[in-house]
Amino acid sequence: QMWQGPTYDIRPIRPCFIPDQIIYFTAKIRIKPVNATEKSFCMQYGFNCPFLLYTYMNSEKNVNSHMLVVTNTDDVPPDGEWFYLMGQFSLNEFALSENNIYGLFSVEGPEDEIDVSLSEIKFEYPNAVAFPSPDAVCDELANNGDAEFGLPGSVFVYPFKSFVGKDAYLSVKKDNSTDNQFFSISQRSEKWASLSFDLAAGCVVEGSQYYFSSKIWINAPESDIATAVLKLTNPDGSVSHKYIVRCPETSANIGWVTCNDYYRFDAEDAAAIQIRVLFVLMEDKISDIYYDDITFKFASGRKLGVPIFPDEVEDCWGVGAEAFFPSNTLDSGDAAVVTIVKSYETFDGRRSFDFDTAVSGREALSNNPDYAGESALLSRNIHFESDDLIDITNGAHLIVFHTPDVEQILEGVAFKGFGQQGVADRFPINFLMNGNAQGSFIRKNSIRDSNSRCINVQGTDGLQVSDNVAYNTFGHCYVIADGGEKLNVFERNLGGTTKAATMIIAGEGDNTPATFLIR
């Protein structure tokens, strides 16, 4: 039977597969009829050729199958000779779920009475050089668009892939007269069977403008016209298409033509959950198409990138936690609070995250140490929240009062909705008239949506205040109240979206607030 091919159980190596990440598959394969006088359909006619299949049964006992890699029928050798089955694929989170009853890779396709042999089977991730610089992910959306990264004959051309993948076959070819390499799509069966690539998540910002250009050659006797389009998958699951540029006519005789234009992303583009670039022909469904020098380069407007974080955040920043990015402009509205939806290691071993909302571009530490963008975790495992989040005069408050020579430790706690606006000494954290507080510290806490100030130190000496974060607060934030306090240390504290109080404590200036008021 066609389905009686070599099979491999994925379970021992399932943790090695990352959902929605490109994987390269390579295997040497040989097909040979049992009867030496017969010939395989693959060799004779180009069908019933080997392909890689993934089949899994989910927890509800539903069976799903995905054809991942197909044979390039242009290169099938005589029966009995070894050849390569190569291609790239990705599997989603459902296909790789730990709850699946089984998951199997298999090589299938040849008809009855055909022996199938495999050797040198490999599953690999793309090499690091296939990826853009992590500090400039959004500068060029069509990385490796000149095809020079792949070896001639290779199908490993990340991030490019074939659209209508089970039919169209993408590879790299070389013009020996010029040594130029270019992409080739063969085995087409639809007008939209073409080279394609996905735009990096988070790079598409409303109002940003990119320059698109591509060389294209339709190897057909009759001329045809290709159009570069965006295929959008919208949040409701619907699909829509956007025109980028229409290319000049080309044919086997005309040869290479160039199509280029500027494209400005709009709100619909920015809201899409996936954007894919592909080419659609007016008439031709079967001819090979060649592509080269593809670029989709940032030109103007706002730009987003993929943030990279220190390794030490890995144990603290988890999925579901909230993070804060202060504004990096003169507009406080550019601050962002986002929820972490995915944590992952980048190709070069650094830590990054996917958020539920895109974060506008921040200056990277590697590019500008003096003005690099800040970020902070708002969530804590211990969380205090005021019962009343509506009345700004009725928030909870914490005070350490008249407690000299006693070490006070307040660490790793989140406070939300604390403080009583217009009421003296009713702040989220208030160390009041403690005298000597040597050995005491307030550190690694989160203060959010405070009605009145953040951390207030008055009549207290020797207190260490470090590594705290405050967001969306009224009045002064980090405060030395009187000016006579001594030996207090404030370091590595972050405050953002500090707002003017409308109800003022007598004699105070919280209606013209300072994030750091050190008297």
Side-chain angles (χ1 to χ4, degrees), residues 413-425:
V413 177
F415 299 88
K416 183 176 181 180
F418 272 47
Q420 298 175 6
Q421 196 165 137
V423 182
D425 301 327

Side-chain angles (χ1 to χ4, degrees), residues 2-131:
M2 292 178 62
W3 47 267
Q4 292 178 320
T7 300
Y8 183 78
D9 187 348
I10 193 178
R11 286 177 294 178
I13 60 171
R14 189 205 58 77
C16 298
F17 289 89
I18 303 173
D20 302 317
Q21 296 295 311
I22 289 292
I23 298 168
Y24 291 162
F25 171 78
T26 307
K28 288 181 68 175
I29 190 166
R30 180 180 65 191
I31 56 176
K32 186 178 180 181
V34 174
N35 187 338
T37 63
E38 300 289 335
K39 294 182 179 180
S40 71
F41 289 168
C42 181
M43 197 273 285
Q44 289 189 88
Y45 311 116
F47 62 84
N48 283 10
C49 293
F51 58 85
L52 177 69
L53 188 75
Y54 180 69
T55 304
Y56 68 95
M57 178 183 286
N58 62 25
S59 58
E60 297 178 354
K61 298 187 177 181
N62 297 317
V63 177
N64 301 270
S65 295
H66 302 282
M67 185 183 294
L68 303 177
V69 177
V70 299
T71 297
N72 179 7
T73 56
D74 294 337
D75 298 326
V76 175
D79 290 334
E81 294 186 12
W82 291 94
F83 64 96
Y84 280 100
L85 177 62
M86 299 188 299
Q88 58 189 39
F89 66 89
S90 61
L91 297 171
N92 61 30
E93 59 182 322
F94 304 106
L96 296 172
S97 172
E98 294 180 352
N99 298 321
N100 289 343
I101 297 171
Y102 66 77
L104 301 172
F105 285 112
S106 59
V107 175
E108 305 182 7
E111 65 275 13
D112 297 354
E113 303 297 320
I114 300 292
D115 290 340
V116 179
S117 302
L118 268 75
S119 178
E120 301 177 18
I121 303 169
K122 293 181 181 179
F123 293 94
E124 301 174 291
Y125 286 109
N127 190 283
V129 298
F131 295 85

Side-chain angles (χ1 to χ4, degrees), residues 161-222:
K161 52 192 170 185
S162 59
F163 187 67
V164 193
K166 68 184 183 66
D167 297 320
Y169 189 87
L170 173 64
S171 62
V172 173
K173 291 185 178 296
K174 183 176 182 179
D175 182 343
N176 291 324
S177 65
T178 63
D179 286 335
N180 180 60
Q181 294 187 178
F182 55 92
F183 300 107
S184 170
I185 284 282
S186 58
Q187 301 177 200
R188 298 176 57 248
S189 59
E190 300 290 348
K191 292 187 290 186
W192 51 83
S194 74
L195 169 147
S196 69
F197 62 97
D198 294 340
L199 303 189
C203 286
V204 176
V205 183
E206 181 181 0
S208 63
Q209 182 171 254
Y210 279 73
Y211 174 73
F212 178 87
S213 180
S214 175
K215 294 170 65 176
I216 188 168
W217 182 357
I218 303 171
N219 190 16
E222 301 294 331

Side-chain angles (χ1 to χ4, degrees), residues 400 403-411 429 431 434-443 445 457 460-466 468 486-491:
V400 178
T403 313
D405 303 314
V406 177
E407 293 184 1
Q408 307 285 341
I409 299 173
L410 183 57
E411 181 178 29
I429 301 174
F431 271 63
N434 293 291
N436 179 32
Q438 291 284 347
S440 298
F441 54 79
I442 307 168
R443 66 186 182 195
N445 300 291
V457 179
T460 300
D461 304 323
L463 180 64
Q464 182 179 359
V465 182
S466 61
N468 299 284
K486 300 177 296 183
L487 303 177
N488 294 299
V489 177
F490 284 70
E491 59 181 357

